[in-house]
Amino acid sequence: MHSCQVAQAVSVMMQSADCGFAPRCVSVSTAIHPGSNLFVATCQDGHVGSPTQQEAPRAPKARRPRDMALSMLVLIIPVFLIVAFYRYLGHEDPPVVDTTEVYGSVQRAGRFELLRPEGLADGWRIASATYTDGILRIGITAPDSGALQLVESADPAAVLVPAVIGKTPHDDGPATIAGAEWHRWSEGRPGERAIVRTDGNRTVIIVGHAKQDQLDQLAGSLRA
């Protein structure tokens, strides 16, 4: 007997069956043939009852693309509503992210000396801040739609630069910015510029879609 037949037989092991001459008797159900959902009740005295049909268990339905799309809409629509309401109140610019907790995590880890942007003019905003796996990432928006990322880590430049800038950037040579030595790179990814600074056990990278002077301004604003 197949496993599905055994399970269905056991489920009716103690059920009463109409065996023709006794109103109630203990019975066992057996499939008429493998794969069938027709079962016959056989009493202890050998009497065979009438065939009965039992519904086979149904396999769970797979999620259709339409269902997954609806689930995504349920998640996305509230985000659009919040953004629309925020703009309705007259706030075109996103709020500045509080970096206090992230900077605190970097300092407690003590893997490298933290550099923070200070004194930037209006139009510059910190949009994101994370510290994971020993790497600090600060997302910064600059005037005229500039988008930059400040990356700091104790990882050596040979490891961090390919991961952040790209594996085959164009070497644009060294540069001195606000008294510190940097190295310029470009086109590690299409349209991106980057500058890299290494000193002691710290590697600092500024990369993004922005004007060269905006990268230099951000580099010049960094303070320990």
Side-chain angles (χ1 to χ4, degrees):
M1 185 182 294
H2 292 277
S3 60
C4 62
Q5 296 168 4
V6 173
Q8 289 168 322
V10 172
S11 68
V12 297
M13 183 67 77
M14 300 307 295
Q15 293 179 349
S16 294
D18 181 4
C19 296
F21 60 88
R24 301 179 67 84
C25 67
V26 177
S27 64
V28 176
S29 293
T30 307
I32 291 178
H33 58 79
S36 172
N37 63 345
L38 288 175
F39 291 81
V40 173
T42 304
C43 295
Q44 285 182 332
D45 60 2
H47 185 82
V48 178
S50 302
T52 58
Q53 187 170 11
Q54 297 183 12
E55 186 176 353
R58 296 179 181 178
K61 293 183 178 179
R63 294 192 67 187
R64 296 176 297 175
R66 179 174 175 273
D67 297 331
M68 291 187 284
L70 289 174
S71 299
M72 289 297 295
L73 283 175
V74 170
L75 297 173
I76 292 172
I77 288 175
V79 175
F80 280 110
L81 291 176
I82 291 171
V83 172
F85 180 69
Y86 191 80
R87 291 189 172 182
Y88 173 76
L89 296 177
H91 302 289
E92 288 296 325
D93 296 321
V96 176
V97 170
D98 185 359
T99 58
T100 304
E101 184 176 345
V102 173
Y103 287 161
S105 297
V106 174
Q107 291 172 324
R108 286 190 295 274
R111 298 186 62 184
F112 58 88
E113 186 179 11
L114 173 67
L115 292 178
R116 291 178 265 202
E118 295 180 0
L120 288 169
D122 292 340
W124 290 81
R125 263 178 199 81
I126 293 179
S128 64
T130 62
Y131 179 63
T132 55
D133 298 326
I135 301 175
L136 171 68
R137 298 178 185 270
I138 305 294
I140 301 171
T141 59
D144 301 323
S145 301
L148 296 166
Q149 188 176 76
L150 169 64
V151 180
E152 300 179 34
S153 175
D155 293 346
V159 174
L160 197 61
V161 168
V164 175
I165 296 177
K167 294 182 178 180
T168 57
H170 183 268
D171 187 342
D172 294 333
T176 302
I177 305 171
E181 295 302 317
W182 294 76
H183 201 98
R184 298 190 190 279
W185 301 88
S186 61
E187 297 300 322
R189 296 184 182 89
E192 287 189 352
R193 294 185 176 91
I195 53 176
V196 179
R197 170 181 171 182
T198 55
D199 47 9
N201 66 334
R202 176 183 60 202
T203 302
V204 183
I205 300 175
I206 298 174
V207 60
H209 291 270
K211 300 174 183 177
Q212 188 64 63
D213 67 321
Q214 290 178 327
L215 275 74
D216 295 353
Q217 286 179 51
L218 181 55
S221 75
L222 298 179
R223 301 287 185 274

